[in-house]
Amino acid sequence: MNKSDYKILFVTFFNDEALGVRCLHSILHNNGYNVKMLFLKVNLSTRCRDYKERVKKSFNNNVDYLTDKELLLCKEFVFDYKPNMLAVSLVSSNYMLYKRIYSELRSLTDLKIVIGGWQPTLNPEECIAFCDYLCVGEGEKALPELVDKIFNNQPVDDLKNIWINKGDRIIRNPIRPLVEDLSLEPVPVFEDELSCYIENEELIHAEPYKTNTRYGIITGRGCPYSCTYCSNVYMAKELYPKKWQRVRRRTVEHVMSELIETRSKLPYIESINFYDEVFMPKEDWAKSFFDRYVKEIGLPFYCEFYPGTCNEKKAKMLKEAGLVGVWLGVQSGSERIRKEIFKRHYKNADVIKQAQIFYKYGISVRYDFILDNPFETFEESLETINLMMELPQPYSMNIFSLKYFPKTDITATVLNEGLISEEELSDQTYKEEVNVAITLDNEDNDRNFINHLATYISFLSVDSRLKKKEISSIVDNYILHKRVQPIQEVLKPYLV
């Protein structure tokens, strides 16, 4: 058998960007293997540009779950395509879905299944039961080595980053060093014959990203922060001590080559999303990159910031280069919650100052806030509401319930303090959620009130109609009567 006859099928769920999968796909494609990507539900409808419509869908629990017919289409495609290897990328929220289809895919006796991504990395002891091979940590070197050895009928028992399910025993290999030079990785491949996707109960043989209007890219990997709810903490403490938090930056030339090539292949791209954990390249890199970006790409772009990391000089430079919007993770208006529970160290004054800088330069902001936090008192939740009212309008928000992902510090804390059971934790962590951001079936009246009020604020702030007097009146009325119904009635017209 030639390499071109050896079929590898990558599967990913609810994500047509899938940066990690696309990187591995390109590496193996360039190595001569017959590789294809199957995107199981890309949720084209969620690309809706109408912010209010997205909020409405999220609040109304309008989730586009995988249907039985779509599961059947997935199974039939795998059976018909007959790959030699199935490579599946998993985040925690897709784990239960993967387990649903695993047994049926497993019936292909000659099929080797390898899984990787956040869920297998964080919880390999459980996940290894549902595959032949499991990749812990980064896979750019581990997966190609595994494929080469299997293809050449060579032993694979000692491959670093790879766990092996032998049936009667598990081989747990150690972690290899991080990939230091990210600029050696190939540009993603966007070809219709190398991709297909399942959407609206139909199998479509085409590259789903070709209809997207935004292109996602990272310029570097790593996060210098230690937020307790984030899986990066486990990577920094356990897998890659003293290494993970150091940002590994790609060269300017490498990032530019990807943007130039993909822009020529993706005809509808109108803007660029930089998905770096926190967008803070060194000044010389940023100047060199954006000098070229303006001349050779010239598209508006978005990026993510940690409060206080974008000063006025940087904001001015980025605005002139095409920055139109940022994501800013505030998470809570309570300084105690941020410091003691989330390990995020900044004052509310820092958040407001950062917001004012973006406002000054006409850069739109979408703030992340975490609600449904058992460590947060009702009074501290009101501090979040008060901070929302101090932010310069217009602005939009992503509002989330606090989630407990495997191996995070906050998950260990809620278990140790008995705030949640192992069974409840599993139900929350592995619930098949796609669009749902906040919990609506909360038995706690105070939390329900805050969730509804924050959602109402999100509709007002985006149109610069948020008034302190109105919100204060709603809060005072709730404190007096402890009834959620009034805010539900106020919010109802926005959700129809």
Side-chain angles (χ1 to χ4, degrees), residues 334 376-384 386 446 479 482:
S334 165
E376 187 173 81
T377 66
F378 177 66
E379 290 71 25
E380 287 171 326
S381 296
L382 289 181
E383 291 179 37
T384 295
N386 291 333
D446 287 348
I479 291 174
K482 287 292 182 179

Side-chain angles (χ1 to χ4, degrees), residues 280-325:
M280 42 189 254
K282 293 181 179 178
E283 187 173 338
D284 56 345
W285 190 100
K287 185 179 186 310
S288 176
F289 174 75
F290 284 110
D291 281 349
R292 289 192 59 185
Y293 182 90
V294 170
K295 297 173 185 175
E296 299 176 51
I297 305 299
L299 292 175
F301 65 91
Y302 300 78
C303 58
E304 303 179 24
F305 280 103
Y306 187 93
T309 60
C310 186
N311 58 30
E312 191 159 342
K313 179 181 178 182
K314 184 182 292 185
K316 183 176 184 295
M317 183 270 290
L318 293 174
K319 176 64 177 180
E320 291 173 350
L323 177 63
V324 293

